[in-house]
Amino acid sequence: MKRLFCLVLLICSNLALGIVSFANEAGKQELLLQNLFEAQLSSTNSMKRSVSSLIKHYPHHEAFILDYSFKNYPQQYKQIIHGALSTNPHSSNDVVSMALAYEVAACDDIITAAINAEPGYASDIVKTAAKLRPNELDQIVRVAITTKPIMADSIINSAAKENPDAFELIMTMAFEELPDMFMSLLNNAFSNFPENSEEVVEIAISSSEKVDARLVVDKAVQAGLSEEAAVKAAIAGGAKQEAWAQNNP
């Protein structure tokens, strides 16, 4: 029994020493990375280049590099975001999450910086931000689609599918913020949200005073909605019933 106790004690001691050794080794690696970071920054005088270079050479330590950068240089968040995403765009979730966690800037500014750095991941950036700041969904989507209008359809599709209860809010904002893209947004909505076609008609007409209600109805019918349902939705959205009757004797 005594021998067994001694054996268990020995095993536990070795495990404890192993953990301490691992912790010490991790600490040494982090200290080395800190020194490398500061040396790189001093040499190049470029936060973007320093972050990019370190992540490129030490990809397994990306989380630490981001953490150290945001914690010690929050005022240079734009350069940190650009440096990280230019090297590893797949890390948009981690980059945005950490920037928001450290509150290096307003949510709007973080989203703008991230999307400008990597437009192709705009939908993922919005998705991440919306999960962390659900009460700011409307502003998050607004900033995203106005920062890169060319990505608006993708951003809207992703945001609406992730937040179906906010479909009206998202579509209303899209039509109001990007009037020059009205037809593109309309066609995209009919194609990707056919089950919401009546709602799309109503929102499209109520969101713009200059919209041609007849055109919206025609597009809805082409997308598969019955003309009766489309007209009813158009009237609910603000199309004048009298004028409609004149146009459809």
Side-chain angles (χ1 to χ4, degrees):
M1 185 68 179
K2 187 176 180 180
R3 292 177 62 187
L4 178 61
F5 174 77
C6 291
L7 180 60
V8 171
L9 182 61
L10 179 61
I11 293 173
C12 290
S13 298
N14 288 335
L15 285 173
L17 288 173
I19 292 172
V20 171
S21 176
F22 178 79
N24 288 337
E25 186 62 29
K28 289 179 181 178
Q29 288 182 343
E30 290 181 357
L31 181 59
L32 174 61
L33 285 170
Q34 290 179 30
N35 292 334
L36 285 172
F37 186 96
E38 295 299 338
Q40 178 81 10
L41 186 59
S42 177
S43 173
T44 64
N45 198 32
S46 169
M47 179 61 69
K48 177 182 177 181
R49 194 177 303 169
S50 298
V51 170
S52 176
S53 176
L54 281 175
I55 291 177
K56 181 178 180 180
H57 288 92
Y58 304 97
H60 297 303
H61 296 286
E62 181 174 1
F64 175 79
I65 295 167
L66 289 173
D67 181 84
Y68 182 81
S69 303
F70 283 130
K71 186 186 296 182
N72 292 281
Y73 300 95
Q75 71 279 8
Q76 297 191 53
Y77 73 94
K78 290 182 181 179
Q79 294 299 314
I80 296 170
I81 290 173
H82 275 256
L85 294 183
S86 65
T87 304
N88 182 16
H90 298 293
S91 68
S92 61
N93 177 55
D94 294 333
V95 174
V96 172
S97 296
M98 203 170 291
L100 289 172
Y102 275 114
E103 298 183 337
V104 295
C107 183
D108 294 2
D109 295 329
I110 291 172
I111 293 169
T112 299
I115 291 178
N116 280 330
E118 191 51 62
Y121 283 77
S123 296
D124 292 335
I125 291 167
V126 169
K127 182 178 178 180
T128 298
K131 282 186 176 180
L132 295 174
R133 302 287 177 84
N135 294 333
E136 299 179 46
L137 175 64
D138 56 341
Q139 185 62 12
I140 289 171
V141 175
R142 177 182 288 109
V143 169
I145 63 176
T146 53
T147 297
K148 287 294 178 183
I150 194 172
M151 300 299 298
D153 286 346
S154 175
I155 293 169
I156 291 165
N157 292 345
S158 176
K161 288 174 182 176
E162 288 289 326
N163 306 275
D165 293 340
F167 181 79
E168 180 179 357
L169 173 69
I170 293 169
M171 290 308 307
T172 298
M173 183 191 316
F175 286 129
E176 290 178 347
E177 294 293 330
L178 302 173
D180 293 340
M181 295 180 61
F182 182 86
M183 290 309 301
S184 174
L185 295 170
L186 186 67
N187 289 329
N188 175 69
F190 284 139
S191 296
N192 290 280
F193 302 96
E195 69 280 6
N196 297 98
S197 291
E198 292 178 61
E199 190 175 3
V200 171
V201 172
E202 184 175 345
I203 295 170
I205 292 175
S206 64
S207 299
S208 175
E209 296 179 357
K210 299 179 180 180
V211 66
D212 182 348
R214 178 74 258 178
L215 181 60
V216 174
V217 168
D218 287 344
K219 289 293 182 181
V221 172
Q222 291 173 18
L225 188 63
S226 71
E227 183 166 6
E228 180 182 359
V231 170
K232 184 178 180 180
I235 293 172
K240 296 189 180 299
Q241 191 165 4
E242 297 80 3
W244 198 267
Q246 291 175 4
N247 290 333
N248 297 273

